[in-house]
Each structure stands twice: as structure tokens, then as C-alpha cells.
Amino acid sequence: MLFSSLLIGLREGLEAALVVSILVAFLVRTDRRSALRWVWPGIAAAVVLSVGVGAVLTFTTAQLSFEQQELLGGSLSIVAVGFVTAMIFWMRKASKSIAAELRGKMDHALAIGPLAVLLLSFLAVGREGLETAVFFYAAVQSAQGGTTEPLIGFAVGIAIAIALAYGLYRGAIRFNLGKFFTVTGVLLVFVAAGVLGYGLHDLQEAGFLPGLHALAFDASAAIPETSWYGALLKGIFNYSQQTTVLQAIAWVAYVAIVLPLFLRRPAAKTTPVVAGTKE
Amino acid sequence: MTLRKTPLVVAGSAALLALSACSGGDQKAAAGGPITVEATDTACTVSATTANAGNLSFEVTNKGTKVTEFYLYAQGDRIMGEVENIAPGLTRKLTIEVPDAGTYQTACKPGMSGDGIRGTFTVTGGASRQADTNTQLADATKSYATYVASQSDALLTETQKFADAVKSGNVADAKARYAPTRTYYERIEPVAEKFGELDPAIDVREADLEEGQQFTGFHRLEKDLWATGLQPDSGQIADKLVADVTTLVNQAKTIQLSALDLANGAKGLLDEVATGKITGEEETFSHTDLWDFQANLDGSKAAIQSLRPVLQERDPQLVSEVDTQVKNVQTLLDAQRSGDGFKYYTELTQDQIRQFASAVDALGEPLSKVAEVVAQ
Ligand SMILES: [Cu+2]
């Protein structure tokens, strides 16, 4: 009872914290600490919005229609993919400047508005927040009815997620810069591919896109989402135990296009750039 | 990662699944109160299996050991609403707008996978959906516009082939193409009639010619093919027909129809049958009136089909009346089929014609009320 709530909290927390921790690590590593002050308002706004909407949904019978919910969730995810993709290439651009040791040009390469940083943190957290808030309210309500286990489990799960994300952040800032860019960049590519797949799946559920019942695979027996490893996979990569063909195609296409683009130019200092090599 | 995370449901095997696992009486939901659902790892107990259309409220409690989900499905496993990630011990509320009466299915999914433990859920009555009315009407015209577009594309292609046959002097081929080509026109004639001069140019009958009006279009070629033999200007008439049809098709695709147009069109097509086809006046020379008859009926059905969701909501009685009468007419028509087409009008007995006439009248009756219902 406690454990399954813990897994939900872990998963929801990871989904939200992963992108934020990489963003923060990136800003810290590239001496852009000044931009950090835009991260926190983004997160705060997302939390406030989620809690507010979650409360309204829980305490009133007012409700979006199912299609509207899915449309909202699906579109937010796809917008978020756009932002995370931009972040990936923003980081790549920064790594180029570093590899060329053109530190003077760093600021230019990183010329991205505070608004973008704010929006990115808002989206990363907000996408998860609504769902999490509704869940949290349900847990609080049942605690009033005498069962605190789900609430405890849920809180522990979120705490573990934040700890993991912090660990990732610490690890990330200990990497040498080149490795940091490569590792987090590749990680983000897979994260974004997962978000894209899930966004499309939401739109399929709402009936805006066809093919909800056309499954590419069903791994609910081998890697159930309710297991700890399934929850981890889902939290990090948006693994889905039952994946539609459209979802799978989008995932593969995204990775096949974005990953080579990201790796095209060696991001790590350890990879020598041969003079005269054509780009 | 998104607002909703849901494992998929594989359609089809639903029926096989444990209806037995779902107990729950046949009683209606207490007015206003939520329907409670008790979900365990092996059962999905719904407190009521019947409810009135409108906003339904479910309160799902997970008394099992696995995380669960609750769904309400419409026919074909269309998701009406869902609540997921219900951890053991938790209660989650789900409010769903179910405007249409019908048979639905509830499902609990312990472990959030598979088709779930299903139960039948019946919704009765019908709630008015004022806000959706405009959407429904817009959907109706959109769906009918698609139909018109598909028919006019085929009309143009087939008219071109028919005209080519006439121009090459291949009378047998032209005759064979005549009736099938016209069916595309007859299906969308109410749309054609919106364009003042085009309909007469394409479809005028010799008997209806007005003073100084040139006899062109399908029926002029019909006369050439069956009565007088091809004339020196038959080729020109064929070219003009193609030109007129092209203009019509281009305009038909851009025309903005209202739902009332659809309703009146459905009735108009039936009137066409009554005044022209039943009497054998339409195809004086070729006697292929039954092809037109069928096409008029098809067009009428298509318009009604597009309006069906609106009609079903406002006057289900009328819909079933229309359906019954359409079926009667169709049965009579089917009895006169011959090869790919139909018997010639001249082969019909007086009795059969009378039967057709009364069946068409009987269908015209409910059809004439459709516009009124749409205009409500
Ligand atoms: Cu999520």
C-alpha cells in the first residue's frame, strides 16, 4: 500500500525534477548563475497553478471534459518537447564555444532570454504538476479519513525523486564540462522523445489522433509501470508499458533526427577537432 | 509525464472479460449523489449500473493492493472519461458528461494494464446539450460537404468518359455510361440547384424547355443516343456538358451549406423522385429512371446521415420513422435490380409503380418534418 504510492510519487517527481536539475546544472556550469533567478519563479508559478487547479478540481465538481484534459495535457507535452529540444541545442551551441575556447563568445552563444529559462522551468514542472496536485489532494483527503499510508508513501516518493535529481545535479557539476554536455544532452534527447510519445498518446486518447488501439508492443507483463524499475523508466524516459505504433514511430524518428544532430559536432573536449574537417 | 497516463485498451476482447466480476444492482444512481465504485485487485463493484444522461459522478475507491484506474467507455471502446493512478487506499472522484443515452462499460484496471474488469452501464434519457448544438450542426454540414466533394469528383470523371464516348461516336459505350454517370449528379442535385443556370443547362428535360432555351445537357444526349441518333452538334453538346459540370463541381466544393439546406435537400430529393422518377418523365428516352431514383434516395440518406446526431438528440422518434421508411423504399428498389443496375421503367407494372409511389409518400412524411426539427 505504501510502496505503490511511493512509486507514483517517485515517478511524478522525477518527471518534473529531471529537466529542471539539468537546466540548473547547465546554468551553474556555464557561469550563468544569474539566470538561476528565473528558474525559481518558473517553478513557483507552475506549483501555484497546479495546486490551484488541483484544489478547484478536487473541491468542486467543475471539470474539464475528458477530451479537453487530454488535449491540454497532450499539447503542453508537445510544447515542452519544443522547449527541451531548444535547450539541447542551446547547450550544444555553448559546448561548441567552449570547445573552440572562445569563452569570450559564450555570452553571445547563450543569448537566450530570461523568459525562455522561466518558461522552460514552468513547463517542466507544470506538465506534471496538475496530475500530481490532484493525486496529492486525494491522498490528503483519505488521510483525513484515517489512512495516512498513501500520503506518506507519496511524500517519500517525491522526496526520493528530489534526492535523485539533486544527486544527478551534483554528479553533473562534477563531470568535466565536455562530458557534462554529452551525457546530459543525450539524456535529454531520450527524455524529450518520451515526452513527445506521451503527448501524442494523449491526443490519441482524446480522439484527436487515430490509432489508439494499434499497439507497437505491450510490455505490461515484462516491465510493468507499477514496478520500481518501471516507475523509474517512466519517470526518466516516459517509458510506456503499452506503446502505440504512432508513439513508437515518433520516438524513433525524434531520436534518429535529433541525436545525430546533437552529436554531429564533438561536444567533448577529449574528441579532437581535426583542422580542415568539413562540417 | 502528461496529465493522463493510460495503458491502452485492446478493443475487441472486451466482451470476453469478466462481467461476472462486476456485481452491482440494477438500481439507478441516487439523484445527485455520486456512483461509488469499489475497486479491488479482482473486482470492480459499481453501486449503480443505470443512470440518467447528463453529468455522471463516480467515486472510485481502491481497496486492492495494486494501483488502479477507472474508465467509462462508450461503444467501440471510445473513452468517455478516466481517472488513473489511484493508489491503494485512495478515493478519487470522476465527473463525466454523458449526453447520450446508450450502453456503456465501466472498467477498473488493477495494475493499470489490460482491458480491465468490465461491467455494463446503461444511460437513459437524453440531456440537452445547448452548447454543443452549434458544433453538431457544424459537424453535420462538414460531413455532408465531404460527401458532396466525393460525389462531384466522381461526377466529373465519369462525365468526361461519357462525353468522350459520345464524341468518338461509340453509341453502345455512351449508352452504358449514361445512367451510372447521372447517379453522381442525382445524389447531389439539391446542391446543383443552388447555382441558378447550371442545373437547367446540365439536366433540363425537353418537355420543360422554356421559350428560347437551348436543349443541352444529359437529356439532350439521352435523346441523341436513344431516339434520334447522334447529331452533328452532339460533340459540342458533350463538350458543353463537361464544361458545365466542371464549373458546377468547382462551385459545389466552395459552397457553404447550412444544416437547414441539408434538411431541405433530403426532402427535395424525395420530391424529385415523386414528380419525375415515379412518373417515368425524367428519362423519357432511356427509361433508366430507377437509377436516378436510387441515387436520389442515396443523396437523401447521406444528408440525413450527416444530421443524425442532432436529430437523434432532438427527436429520436423521427429518426426511427425515417429509417423505417427508407428501408421500405429500398426494399422495393432492390426487388427491381437487374445486373449492375435496375430494370427499365417500361418494364414496371402499374402495381409496382403504385407501390413505389405510396412508399415514397410514406417517406416524404417524416422527411418533411426534419427541417422543422433542425430549425428548433
Ligand atoms: Cu505525467
Side-chain angles (χ1 to χ4, degrees), chain A residues 1 4-5 8 11-12 15-16 61 63-64 66-67 69-70 72-74 77 127-128 130-131 134-135 138-139 141-142 147 150 191 195 198-199 201-202 205 212-213 215 220 225-226 234-235 238 241-244 247, chain B residues 1-11 55 57 62-69 71 73 76-97 109-115:
Chain A
M1 209 168 189
S4 55
S5 315
I8 296 175
R11 191 187 68 207
E12 298 300 330
E15 284 174 351
T61 48
Q63 169 135 351
L64 295 173
F66 167 70
E67 281 84 1
Q69 288 181 34
E70 298 293 292
L72 181 73
S77 292
R127 239 182 33 256
E128 279 321 297
L130 256 181
E131 191 175 25
V134 171
F135 183 90
Q141 278 181 335
S142 78
T147 320
V191 168
V195 178
Y198 240 97
H201 185 236
D202 271 0
E205 281 196 320
L212 179 61
H213 300 294
L215 287 187
S220 40
E225 282 170 23
T226 46
K234 188 168 187 98
N238 260 288
Q241 59 190 6
Q242 284 166 317
T243 292
T244 63
Q247 232 179 319
Chain B
M1 194 97 207
T2 58
L3 208 60
R4 298 273 145 181
K5 279 183 277 288
T6 319
L8 290 170
V9 182
V10 183
N55 279 340
S57 199
N62 185 356
K63 300 206 167 162
T65 60
K66 296 175 181 168
V67 179
T68 195
E69 293 175 320
Y71 282 78
Y73 289 109
D77 275 1
R78 190 162 61 83
I79 304 167
M80 297 298 294
E82 56 165 342
V83 56
E84 53 199 358
N85 278 332
I86 313 172
L90 282 194
T91 299
R92 294 277 302 271
K93 215 165 160 183
L94 171 68
T95 307
I96 310 172
E97 191 192 9
K109 296 191 187 173
M112 304 207 291
S113 64
D115 288 342

